[in-house]
Amino acid sequence: MSIQLTKLNDHPELLFEIPLKVRQGHRFQPTGFPDLGAAEFDTPEGRALLVESAQSMANRLEAVCWDESANDVVEELRGLSYVKVDIEEGGTKRYLTSSVTDSHRLNSPYILESKEKGFLNTLQDELDALAKGPIDRKLLARKLLKYDAGSLIHGVFLAKEQLAGGRLRVARALTAFIEADGVKVAASGGSKQDHVDPSGKAYEQGGAEKGFGHVPFPRDEYTAEKITLYASVDLAQIRGYGLGDDATKMLILLALYKLRAFVDSPMRLRTACTFELKSGGEIESKNASGFKLPKMEDIIGKKDGSTWDGPLPTLIAKLAGNDDDKMRVTTVTFRA
C-alpha cells in the first residue's frame, strides 16, 4: 500500500499516542535520574510517571537504524549519511563509534576533538559562511544532510567555537517519550548472597562495602493503569529546511521508519521493563485524520537483489553520492 504523505500537507506536525502494555506480568522499571530516582509527577487525573525520556528515546530511535554486527546502518538504509569513527591501534584500524550511535551525533567528541583535524577543518570551511550575521538555516541543513541526516531528525548542537562560533543548533524534529498514568509503587527487594561467608566478616576484607557477605537491597518497580508512547514529527521544521521535495519526503519517511521499527521491536528498555503494543491494530494519527503509521513493508518495500524497492530506500539512493551536497558516509580516525 502506498504512503499518502499528501494527507499531511495541511498539518504542521504529525502526532501519535500509542497505547502500550507490559509484556509479562504487571510491573515495570522506569528510567531513573541521579539524585531524583523515578520521575513521578501529578496530573489532573492523578499520579503519573515518566517511563522513558525524550533524550533516551532519541537514542533508541537511532539504535533501530544500526546493525551492530556490521557496524553500519541497517541494510535498507544504506546510503544514508553519517560519520563513522575508526581508531588505530598497533597499525590496525577498527570501528570505534559513529554519529548514529554516539549520543551527541555529529557533535561527538570522537569526531570533533580528535587530534586528526581533517574532518573538523572541512566542516569549518563549509560552515564558515555562518560565522557572522543571521544563520542561513537552509545552508546548515544542506551540510547536515550531506554528513549526518540523523541530526536533522534528532537535533544537534555544534558547540565547538571553531564551527561558526559554536552557535549552530537544530531542534529535534522527531520527539518521543513514554508516560504512565495511574501509577503505584510495587515495592520489593532482594539480597546478594555470599555462600562462602554470609556475615562478610570471616576474612576481614572490608565486609559489605567490598562486596563480602549477604547484602540485602530494596527495589521499587511500578504498576500503571495506562502506559502511552507519545510521538510527534515536526513537519513544519522539516519542510523549513528547504531541501527540496525528495529530501523532505525522505526525512519524513525516515522519521516514520524509526517509529515503526521501534514499536515493531521487542521494546525491551531495561532488564525489568519490556513493553508491547496494547492493540495489534492500526496506529492512527491523533491529529491527521485518516493517516496511519505505515507498515514497515510500505516504507522499505521488498528486497530485489541487492536493493530495496520501497519509497524510503529509493529516495536515499537518489540523494546519495559523492557530488556536491549529496549524502555520503564519511570515515574519520580518532586520535587521542
Side-chain angles (χ1 to χ4, degrees):
M1 182 182 296
S2 63
I3 302 172
Q4 300 297 323
L5 293 182
T6 54
K7 291 183 178 180
L8 305 178
N9 287 349
D10 296 329
H11 295 276
E13 60 184 350
L14 177 62
L15 306 178
F16 292 99
E17 294 184 3
I18 306 172
L20 305 179
K21 64 179 180 180
V22 178
R23 183 179 289 273
Q24 286 188 307
H26 303 282
R27 297 168 295 143
F28 62 89
Q29 179 186 14
T31 188
F33 299 90
D35 302 321
L36 175 64
E40 295 184 45
F41 57 97
D42 292 314
T43 73
E45 288 74 35
R47 199 68 171 158
L49 176 71
L50 178 62
V51 180
E52 201 71 2
S53 66
Q55 56 269 31
S56 178
M57 281 299 301
N59 294 334
R60 295 186 185 281
L61 292 169
E62 285 275 58
V64 298
C65 299
W66 192 255
D67 182 347
E68 291 187 354
S69 64
N71 291 327
D72 198 353
V73 293
V74 292
E75 187 177 8
E76 60 266 27
L77 299 184
R78 301 277 165 85
L80 197 68
S81 58
Y82 72 94
V83 177
K84 180 181 179 182
V85 184
D86 290 337
I87 188 169
E88 186 171 351
E89 295 176 326
T92 302
K93 288 186 178 182
R94 62 176 178 84
Y95 169 78
L96 181 65
T97 186
S98 74
S99 60
V100 177
T101 53
D102 192 271
S103 298
H104 296 285
R105 283 168 281 282
L106 198 57
N107 196 51
S108 165
Y110 299 102
I111 296 173
L112 300 184
E113 298 296 338
S114 171
K115 289 183 178 178
E116 183 177 292
K117 302 296 184 181
F119 179 68
L120 175 61
N121 293 335
T122 297
L123 204 57
Q124 180 184 12
D125 290 342
E126 297 198 26
L127 297 176
D128 185 61
L130 307 178
K132 295 180 180 179
I135 295 173
D136 183 344
R137 297 201 171 274
K138 291 183 179 180
L139 173 59
L140 175 60
R142 289 201 307 273
K143 299 306 178 182
L144 291 177
L145 181 67
K146 177 179 179 178
Y147 291 116
D148 184 48
S151 290
L152 293 171
I153 296 292
H154 297 292
V156 69
F157 177 24
L158 297 175
K160 197 168 182 63
E161 181 73 19
Q162 191 173 338
L163 299 176
R167 63 183 187 144
L168 302 179
R169 66 181 72 197
V170 175
R172 290 190 186 98
L174 171 61
T175 302
F177 55 91
I178 301 175
E179 289 184 356
D181 294 287
V183 299
K184 294 181 180 179
V185 174
S188 63
S191 175
K192 191 281 293 182
Q193 299 288 301
D194 185 341
H195 71 279
V196 175
D197 177 19
S199 71
K201 299 177 181 179
Y203 299 101
E204 298 182 352
Q205 294 295 312
E209 290 186 3
K210 297 292 185 179
F212 293 93
H214 289 346
V215 181
F217 58 87
R219 180 184 181 90
D220 281 350
E221 295 171 305
Y222 286 80
T223 63
E225 296 176 6
K226 182 175 72 170
I227 304 169
T228 307
L229 166 60
Y230 296 90
S232 65
V233 182
D234 193 330
L235 301 172
Q237 177 174 316
I238 293 175
R239 294 168 186 142
Y241 293 148
L243 294 170
D245 289 344
D246 286 340
T248 298
K249 290 178 183 178
M250 186 276 291
L251 290 172
I252 294 173
L253 288 172
L254 180 58
L256 296 174
Y257 170 93
K258 288 169 176 282
L259 188 55
R260 171 52 74 181
F262 178 76
V263 299
D264 283 355
S265 75
M267 287 191 276
R268 189 171 190 265
L269 307 185
R270 281 166 291 281
T271 299
C273 191
T274 304
F275 298 116
E276 62 185 9
L277 294 173
K278 189 173 183 179
S279 171
E282 302 282 358
I283 298 175
E284 297 188 7
S285 168
K286 178 188 176 184
N287 67 317
S289 179
F291 188 85
K292 300 175 181 178
L293 181 65
K295 300 291 187 182
M296 184 57 76
E297 184 175 328
D298 294 332
I299 300 173
I300 64 173
K302 296 181 180 179
K303 189 175 181 181
D304 182 12
S306 60
T307 61
W308 296 76
D309 62 6
L312 178 56
T314 299
L315 285 169
I316 289 174
K318 188 175 181 180
L319 293 164
N322 294 313
D323 300 328
D324 301 323
D325 287 335
K326 283 186 173 292
M327 296 193 300
R328 77 278 314 275
V329 177
T330 304
T331 302
V332 303
T333 301
F334 174 71
R335 302 188 190 281

